[in-house]
Amino acid sequence: MGVLRDAPTTQSPAPWRPTRQRKAVLSALHDRAGFTSAQELHEALEADGVTIGLTTVYRTLHTLDRLGQVDVVRERTGERLYRPRPTDGHRHYLVCRDCGHSAAVEADAVERWAEDVARSTGFAEVEHTVELTGVCHHCRATA
């Protein structure tokens, strides 16, 4: 699985207003190891005593995605998983189909290709989806 990006829209991203609930979602996301679903994040927030609706978690994650603050991948089921985007920018990941372990992969060739396609076609705001999945060493060894 690579970074998943929705097709660009003409709407600008929702503005980031640092409400108590949004700050809690962002903090909980940074506390998680690896990618996490909105449902898992919601459960963690509730376990920590934060009163927040699941819809608010989804909306906050969507806003963070639109603002480029999170990386998003999809599970086999189609569910989106989120994690904070590193400060040095957009990444692609190889994700284990069995345990969900992820590893960032070098994808400069993909980025150059997307830029070349945009340039040669005259398109702007080109986004792409690259999904890389496999079975990690640990899961292969225990199979």
Side-chain angles (χ1 to χ4, degrees), residues 55-108:
T55 301
T56 300
V57 173
Y58 274 107
R59 285 182 182 152
T60 300
L61 291 170
H62 180 74
T63 299
L64 290 169
D65 179 28
R66 285 288 171 207
L67 293 171
Q69 299 299 308
V70 294
D71 284 334
V72 185
V73 298
R74 278 192 208 247
E75 280 190 312
R76 282 192 295 195
T77 63
E79 182 176 18
R80 291 171 183 237
L81 304 176
Y82 303 85
R83 84 182 209 182
R85 179 164 290 168
T87 55
D88 58 352
H90 161 80
R91 298 246 174 100
H92 291 279
Y93 298 89
L94 177 58
V95 180
C96 179
R97 287 187 297 266
D98 291 343
C99 71
H101 171 73
S102 64
V105 296
E106 188 281 317
D108 289 343

